[in-house]
Amino acid sequence: MNKPIASISFAVIAALSLAACSREPAAPAAPKAEQETPAPVQPSQTNAQSFSIGQFTGVALLDGGLEFPNDNKTVGVGKTPEEVAQVLSANGLPTDKISLTIHPLLVKTTDRVLLFDTGAGANFGPSAGGLMKSMAEGGIDAGSVTDIFISHPHGDHVGGLVNAEGALVFPNATIHIAKADWAFLQGLTAETAASVGLDKYEAVVAAMSPKVAAFEPNADLLPGAVKAVEIRGHTPGHSGFLISSGDSSLLYIGDSMHHFVVSVQKPDWTIAFDRDAPTAEKSRIELLEKSAASGQRIYAVHFPYPGLGKFEKRAEGFVWVAE
Ligand SMILES: [Zn+2]
């Protein structure tokens, strides 16, 4: 049986996200004294944070956030809330909820503008779908994007391809997606689309169809600059992307990992979003082993914004070390 088990979870998340309204990165709760003191006016934190990848410029674009209760329906399926809470509290996090951000990655090369995933669009309520606003903040025009790389066709990754009217947002971009995931997306029905958080699936499929360049696993997509990296288990064609400029590189890991503590420190725990959980768990451990050993720089789309860092292997297991 390969039935997705995420149907309830995505619906729950979409509903909860309405209330979450988190365009701020996840942060530990402020000390009480700090909460009681009126804070001085701060310049608003950027939602389009730039960094370098060799000669390229990366921009982390905040789309929004997701929040769901610690009830074992999404993270730590098969464990108890107490077991999950123990891992969260050991890392200074609230134990009653799980928070994720969504932040697609934009990369400017010498002659192209690349976008890795597109955020949630209108699929997850007002707490997500802020990609265009963040792009505007970063001075990036949607028409300048030449290539879009889709890690997998869940709502929080392809939803932002279309606007509220269902029209394609990036008129000049080729859309790269793994063949198996393109077939999966085209085969969605109203019921299965809800299970992957993509109510607007018909608009997305119609808008992207003329622009799709479907690829085989591990394809060299932009030779020397972008290579697909198959990371199996999450969806039929789930793919990461290795972005390279000279000796520098960045691995975009898609949804091979969701939470910067639970997914990294307990990679063998089941998350409801994985279509083939045992395979996803094996892939996650392999990715952690390999990346920690090589010191690979990572971009994690759901870790605390901007999601840049490395994995380290310590005596007690793997940890995420943010930049
Ligand atoms: Zn996701």
Side-chain angles (χ1 to χ4, degrees):
M1 283 293 286
N2 214 10
K3 188 177 182 296
I5 52 173
S7 52
I8 297 167
S9 307
F10 262 111
V12 167
I13 284 168
L16 287 166
S17 297
L18 289 168
C21 202
S22 52
R23 278 187 50 83
E24 299 298 323
K32 206 158 193 306
E34 218 173 279
Q35 290 174 343
E36 286 166 359
T37 311
V41 176
Q42 299 283 344
S44 66
Q45 176 232 315
T46 179
N47 295 314
Q49 196 169 308
S50 296
F51 58 95
S52 295
I53 313 163
Q55 300 300 308
F56 299 168
T57 300
V59 188
L61 295 164
L62 191 61
D63 185 68
L66 303 173
E67 201 167 82
F68 40 96
N70 173 20
D71 59 4
N72 306 107
K73 289 192 173 128
T74 48
V75 171
V77 176
K79 303 292 169 187
T80 64
E82 290 71 28
E83 285 174 292
V84 179
Q86 202 172 17
V87 175
L88 295 170
S89 68
N91 288 274
L93 296 173
T95 57
D96 58 337
K97 62 185 179 184
I98 309 280
S99 300
L100 307 178
T101 59
I102 306 170
H103 42 91
L105 168 67
L106 187 124
V107 176
K108 298 175 192 169
T109 73
T110 47
D111 59 350
R112 289 174 185 255
V113 178
L114 320 176
L115 180 62
F116 296 84
D117 289 332
T118 64
N123 291 278
F124 281 74
S127 76
L131 176 67
M132 299 313 292
K133 207 172 150 216
S134 295
M135 283 179 68
E137 201 177 300
I140 302 152
D141 179 52
S144 71
V145 177
T146 58
D147 298 87
I148 297 172
F149 300 87
I150 299 296
S151 64
H152 66 289
H154 282 176
D156 53 325
H157 298 261
V158 294
L161 281 169
V162 300
N163 61 20
E165 289 74 46
L168 190 64
V169 173
F170 306 95
N172 303 315
T174 300
I175 302 171
H176 305 268
I177 181 170
K179 275 188 178 163
D181 268 359
W182 179 225
F184 170 65
L185 176 55
Q186 289 175 294
L188 289 176
T189 62
E191 192 195 355
T192 53
S195 80
V196 297
L198 189 60
D199 292 341
K200 318 275 182 208
Y201 73 103
E202 285 172 311
V204 168
V205 170
M208 68 188 279
S209 285
K211 301 286 189 175
V212 163
F215 62 81
E216 299 289 351
N218 301 313
D220 217 354
L221 297 170
L222 293 180
V226 180
K227 189 178 185 303
V229 178
E230 185 184 34
I231 308 172
R232 299 176 61 230
H234 189 57
T235 56
H238 179 266
S239 186
F241 300 100
L242 184 67
I243 303 150
S244 303
S245 171
D247 292 337
S248 301
S249 69
L250 180 68
L251 181 62
Y252 182 95
I253 62 168
D255 275 11
S256 54
M257 283 172 243
H258 290 80
H259 192 272
F260 76 112
V261 165
V262 180
S263 301
V264 178
Q265 297 182 14
K266 301 291 179 187
D268 57 335
W269 284 12
T270 297
I271 183 153
F273 310 131
D274 287 336
R275 183 178 171 87
D276 176 351
T279 301
E281 286 149 29
K282 188 164 168 276
S283 297
R284 197 150 45 237
I285 293 164
E286 283 172 4
L287 181 61
L288 284 163
E289 288 282 5
K290 202 174 159 190
S291 303
S294 67
Q296 174 65 55
R297 194 184 190 198
I298 299 290
Y299 188 94
V301 61
H302 289 312
F303 288 10
Y305 183 79
L308 274 171
K310 288 180 180 179
F311 300 119
E312 282 183 13
K313 190 174 188 180
R314 298 186 182 162
E316 66 275 19
F318 295 103
V319 290
W320 171 246
V321 181
E323 286 185 14

